[in-house]
Amino acid sequence: MNDHDPKISDPGYPTGAPENVSRRRFLLASAGITAGSLVLGFGLSVAPNKAAAAAQKMPPGANVPAFLELRKDGKVRLLSPFNEGGQGVFTAMAQIVGEEMDVAPDSFIVENAPAGSDYLVVYGKMRITGGSMSVRTSYDTMRKLGAAARQMMLEAAAKKLDAPVSDLSTEPGKVVHKASGKSLGYGELAGDALDQEVPSPDSVTLKDPKDFKWIGEPVKRVDVYEKSTGKAIYAMDAKVDGMLHAAVQHAPRLGLKPGDISNLDEVKGMAGVMSVHKLDGAVAVVAERFWDAKTAVEAAKVDWQEPSEDEKSKIRYMPADFSTEEFAKQLANTKGDGTEAESEGDIASGFDGAAKTVDATYQSQYLHHAQIEPASTLARFNEDGSLDIWLPNQAPEQFQAQIADAAGIKPEQVKVNSPMLGGFFGRHFLYPAANPFPQAVQLAKEVGKPIKVIWTREQEFLRDPLRPMAAVRFRGALDDQGMPVALEAISACEGPTEALNGHNPDKVDAMAVEGLTGKSYAIPNRRIAQNYVENPTSLAYWRSVGHSMNDFFYEAFLDEMADAGGQDPYELRMKLLEGNERLTNLLKAVGDLSGGWKRGPFDAEDGTRRARGVAMASPFGSEAAAIAEVSIQDGQIVVHDIWDVLDPGSIVNPAIIKAQIMGAATLGTSEALIEEVAYKNGEPTARNFDYYPILGGARAPRIHAKVIESGAKMGGVGEPPLPAVPPAIANAVSVLTGQRVRSMPMDKLDLKKG
């Protein structure tokens, strides 16, 4: 069976024909109703022209038929504007929409929405799954979407029951007429509901939060069943008729070009090989089976060519002599006052009147995303010139435009299928040379058949864009009471946004310095600045972005200032946050969660010598605090416990938030202790997890998670619990050993037992 009939025009709305709308068919064969519809079962719907006309007049997130499909069995198919990658956003969307629609979350089937203007719900103008923005930027919009759908159900039921809307109410999944005792299920009303005007978002009435049934409750996740039964579909699982496989060998250094393949005839003659291709910075082998393609491409002996000087000026080029060890020294030795990012008070006078000053330089390492699912893309050109593509991504509309450019067609001719993500952490944005879709598109064109490109872990690690390195020079000033009166931090780094969009010499990349900026401590004289230092590596957003390294720098240096002033670091933070009820409550909560603050060193019940460290962070609209307890055993840091408290203001699902805290704390521990991308002679020393280890179960700490709902404006959840963890560990290690920890990963440090 052919999945795509080019003779049938698909307007993006249901035509009334029966269609298979199962999740597997939706992802693998682009079947079902691609733009969503309020339909009855298998396709009874309003005329497409009416739906299309209505859609053109509505702001993003308001067009109910683009998001919802109701079925006879009471199930509701919801097209989510955000992709699921383990963070629980499909469940959160079901809770939010279901709350106002009056549909239980477990009645939802949630899938990722296609590219389209209806889904640009992040601040009403864009769509990304990242920056911990999904729920907090769309919360009101998605509530109003559910309320509008409920209103359409009521109006449809009013006509069927010949009763005024005011006499009707809803219970989960149905409209009730209490006077007559009659009720109608939403599935029964779907067809009639589409004949109603879609209410304006401003006209609907939202629930009082005190009446919430599901928002704020730890409801079960809607994606667990498919994952636990092996039915979840990821990009690597996608299949279409006639598909061939491709494997690639990337150039060992960024910027190199493929020259001759000295054993080309041998490669072409290997089992299963159909063709060999030269790509931008890579060679590829196409075969019927992926293993045959992989074996053959790995055997290819490629003469990699240097780019011309003109070409080097237009690309990221990795020199043959680049090493991270030398680059770290370059960053640490970068001079200059930098471009100012934040200033408060008078930094000069703060130091002039100081009783004591403290100086230190802190450094961070490159990091891989190391998501479990390597990158892949399936591309299929159709007879009408359109292109169907399956790939992991965090921004479908952005990818649609770039894919169209690569294919030489219009964006509306590209159908982006966005399967569930096997982890992402910022990996699946549009990074130059870091996505396989240009390879899949080129190969599908050249071969004339659908092509699925899969990057092995080795090829993924060669092209995975990295969390930046940075070095921060700190100066701190203390008064005669040991209290901080001035702090200056000058970062030498390149931020991920300027790496992607170009450096503006008159402007600081906010993500390069976040976590140095935005601190709430009452230090009267502060100055934060950046010295821009271009990297030869590709750079990327990584979970909590700049906060992942900058909060480590700042919070560890704050402890250093506390020690210099004879202050307990926990009590110092309390003093510096005096009058800030939200943050003092947060700090007290993490202290209480840990059984009461004690710095140490102290002897634990098992006889080990231990200490604790504390740190705070304010990422993505939320507030976080962490305490870590550590010991040193056989020269290695052991993190026994982490107490991590998050205040995101208000919440949707506390169970998901606690799971996010635990995952973020684990990744923060891995970053702090183990992970590092190292380069020698222009090439990464690790091509797989054997030389790029991540935190395993044997070293994983016990994580104690708590959520505070302060009532502040809703903040992010996925990233905020991470940044306070590395400095809490560093501060604990410093007090235990008497050696100041100023760099990560800490496993590289030569530590004495405390």
Side-chain angles (χ1 to χ4, degrees):
M1 176 181 175
N2 192 341
D3 309 282
H4 180 91
D5 186 347
K7 297 185 290 295
I8 298 176
S9 174
D10 179 7
Y13 290 89
T15 60
E19 299 202 55
N20 183 338
V21 291
S22 73
R23 184 172 189 279
R24 181 176 291 269
R25 288 277 307 160
F26 173 75
L27 289 172
L28 294 187
S30 304
I33 300 161
T34 59
S37 60
L38 264 171
V39 301
L40 176 60
F42 285 91
L44 184 62
S45 70
V46 72
N49 287 343
K50 182 178 179 181
Q56 292 175 0
K57 302 174 184 177
M58 295 182 180
N63 182 24
V64 174
F67 286 85
L68 294 168
E69 172 202 338
L70 277 77
R71 300 179 178 177
K72 283 185 176 180
D73 61 1
K75 292 290 185 181
V76 179
R77 179 170 172 249
L78 168 65
L79 295 186
S80 169
F82 306 106
N83 206 350
E84 179 64 63
Q87 80 278 39
V89 73
F90 277 6
T91 305
M93 291 295 108
Q95 284 181 259
I96 296 166
V97 175
E99 186 67 71
E100 297 293 347
M101 192 176 174
D102 211 352
V103 175
D106 61 6
S107 295
F108 280 86
I109 300 166
V110 188
E111 298 164 358
N112 204 45
S117 60
D118 282 315
Y119 310 107
L120 304 178
V121 298
V122 176
Y123 302 120
K125 61 182 180 181
M126 61 184 287
R127 176 189 180 190
I128 65 168
T129 303
S132 294
M133 290 196 291
S134 300
V135 172
R136 65 184 171 119
T137 64
S138 68
Y139 181 69
D140 290 341
T141 298
M142 300 308 286
R143 283 184 68 190
K144 289 177 179 179
L145 178 81
R150 177 179 178 272
Q151 184 64 29
M152 294 168 76
M153 295 296 123
L154 288 167
E155 291 174 0
K159 292 182 179 179
K160 276 205 163 189
L161 296 171
D162 193 23
V165 170
S166 58
D167 286 354
L168 303 179
S169 60
T170 61
E171 294 176 5
K174 61 184 178 182
V175 177
V176 177
H177 186 226
K178 291 183 179 179
S180 66
K182 295 179 180 178
S183 66
L184 292 170
Y186 282 178
E188 300 174 73
L189 293 168
D192 295 310
L194 265 184
D195 288 329
Q196 313 305 316
E197 284 277 333
V198 178
S200 164
D202 297 329
S203 70
V204 297
T205 301
L206 299 179
K207 277 187 175 181
D208 188 316
K210 68 179 177 58
D211 297 324
F212 283 168
K213 295 186 183 82
W214 300 294
I215 290 178
E217 297 299 319
V219 305
K220 293 180 180 179
R221 290 180 58 145
V222 300
D223 56 329
V224 167
Y225 174 77
E226 289 190 338
K227 288 179 177 178
S228 61
T229 57
K231 295 180 180 180
I233 301 299
Y234 301 90
M236 291 178 69
D237 301 318
K239 296 178 182 179
V240 295
D241 291 345
M243 180 185 79
L244 299 176
H245 289 274
V248 300
Q249 179 189 146
H250 287 128
R253 290 187 286 116
L254 272 176
L256 299 186
K257 303 181 295 183
D260 293 336
I261 302 173
S262 61
N263 62 339
L264 180 60
D265 290 339
E266 176 189 338
V267 173
K268 286 182 175 180
M270 293 179 71
V273 172
M274 302 185 71
S275 55
V276 181
H277 305 257
K278 291 182 181 179
L279 308 173
D280 183 13
V283 295
V285 170
V286 174
E288 286 192 7
R289 296 175 178 83
F290 175 73
W291 190 257
D292 290 337
K294 174 185 177 294
T295 303
V297 81
E298 288 176 350
K301 298 176 181 177
V302 185
D303 179 22
W304 296 105
Q305 303 288 310
E306 292 283 338
S308 67
E309 292 303 315
D310 181 59
E311 288 171 327
K312 288 180 185 179
S313 67
K314 300 174 183 176
I315 60 173
R316 288 267 166 170
Y317 167 70
M318 175 60 71
D321 61 351
F322 177 76
S323 80
T324 43
E325 184 177 353
E326 291 303 314
F327 190 56
K329 294 176 184 177
Q330 178 188 340
L331 292 173
N333 293 322
T334 299
K335 306 299 181 185
D337 293 333
T339 303
E340 202 164 88
E342 182 180 273
S343 181
E344 183 73 27
D346 186 335
I347 196 73
S349 65
F351 280 94
D352 287 344
K356 192 172 186 178
T357 61
V358 185
D359 300 89
T361 297
Y362 282 73
Q363 295 193 265
S364 65
Q365 75 279 46
Y366 284 136
L367 293 174
H368 275 309
H369 293 94
Q371 77 286 353
I372 295 302
E373 177 195 16
S376 64
T377 300
L378 167 58
R380 177 183 65 187
F381 282 95
N382 304 303
E383 292 180 15
D384 62 358
S386 64
L387 171 63
D388 294 328
I389 199 156
W390 290 256
L391 78 169
N393 73 87
Q394 294 174 242
E397 288 75 20
Q398 294 177 27
F399 272 82
Q400 183 184 46
Q402 289 291 315
I403 292 165
D405 186 62
I409 58 179
K410 298 176 181 179
E412 56 267 30
Q413 292 178 281
V414 178
K415 181 177 180 181
V416 178
N417 296 277
S418 304
M420 195 173 290
L421 298 169
F424 53 109
F425 316 119
R427 171 63 180 90
H428 297 303
F429 286 116
L430 276 170
Y431 304 116
N435 291 293
F437 73 79
Q439 299 172 345
V441 168
Q442 179 180 337
L443 292 171
K445 274 189 168 184
E446 292 180 359
V447 174
K449 290 188 176 182
I451 297 289
K452 179 160 69 173
V453 175
I454 297 175
W455 287 1
T456 62
R457 182 63 59 183
E458 289 79 7
Q459 301 308 315
E460 167 74 11
F461 273 9
L462 272 174
R463 288 297 175 267
D464 179 23
L466 309 176
R467 198 281 303 273
M469 288 177 68
V472 179
R473 287 187 285 116
F474 283 99
R475 292 194 302 149
L478 304 166
D479 64 17
D480 57 6
Q481 300 299 308
M483 291 297 292
V485 293
L487 185 149
E488 181 178 54
I490 303 175
S491 177
C493 70
E494 180 179 20
T497 301
E498 60 192 348
L500 289 170
N501 301 331
H503 171 61
N504 181 345
D506 299 320
K507 188 178 180 182
V508 173
D509 182 349
M511 292 188 177
V513 293
E514 60 183 3
L516 297 173
T517 58
K519 288 290 189 178
S520 297
Y521 300 121
I523 300 174
N525 305 292
R526 304 187 306 276
R527 181 179 183 271
I528 311 299
Q530 178 199 9
N531 279 317
Y532 172 76
V533 182
E534 186 175 1
N535 291 242
T537 58
S538 293
L539 300 180
Y541 306 108
W542 194 86
R543 190 173 186 175
S544 74
V545 200
H547 287 278
S548 67
M549 57 185 181
N550 290 324
D551 281 300
F552 163 74
F553 301 145
Y554 196 109
E555 293 289 315
F557 183 69
L558 187 61
D559 261 37
E560 199 162 343
M561 292 182 72
D563 286 340
Q567 303 276 342
D568 176 88
Y570 181 91
E571 295 301 331
L572 175 64
R573 285 171 171 81
M574 276 293 189
K575 292 175 185 176
L576 293 174
L577 295 171
E578 188 175 349
N580 188 324
E581 184 180 3
R582 184 182 185 189
L583 292 186
T584 53
N585 286 344
L586 176 68
L587 188 55
K588 185 178 185 301
V590 76
D592 292 345
L593 186 65
S594 70
W597 167 250
K598 57 178 179 179
R599 192 183 190 195
F602 56 87
D603 293 322
E605 291 183 1
D606 63 0
T608 57
R609 189 74 168 158
R610 301 188 185 185
R612 291 183 178 180
V614 63
M616 304 183 77
S618 303
F620 306 102
S622 292
E623 301 290 346
I627 290 175
E629 182 171 308
V630 308
S631 68
I632 307 294
Q633 298 179 23
D634 299 321
Q636 188 177 71
I637 299 167
V638 177
V639 183
H640 296 278
D641 293 271
I642 290 174
W643 296 269
D644 201 345
V645 179
L646 179 70
D647 175 6
S650 56
I651 65 175
V652 172
N653 189 315
I656 287 176
I657 297 175
K658 285 190 175 181
Q660 286 281 39
I661 293 172
M662 297 181 75
T666 301
L667 183 55
T669 304
S670 188
E671 170 201 3
L673 299 184
I674 301 170
E675 294 188 41
E676 180 183 29
V677 177
Y679 276 78
K680 290 183 179 178
N681 300 319
E683 298 184 21
T685 58
R687 301 291 178 88
N688 211 315
F689 289 115
D690 50 354
Y691 287 98
Y692 187 87
I694 58 177
L695 191 73
R699 294 191 70 184
R702 290 181 293 269
I703 298 168
H704 314 267
K706 182 174 181 178
V707 182
I708 292 177
E709 195 170 4
S710 64
K713 182 180 178 182
M714 184 180 286
V717 166
E719 296 167 281
L722 186 150
V725 171
I729 295 171
N731 290 336
V733 173
S734 292
V735 71
L736 181 61
T737 63
Q739 299 170 249
R740 185 59 56 183
V741 175
R742 296 184 178 130
S743 64
M744 300 183 287
M746 298 177 205
D747 273 4
K748 291 177 65 177
L749 305 176
D750 182 16
L751 297 171
K752 303 184 185 76
K753 185 176 180 181

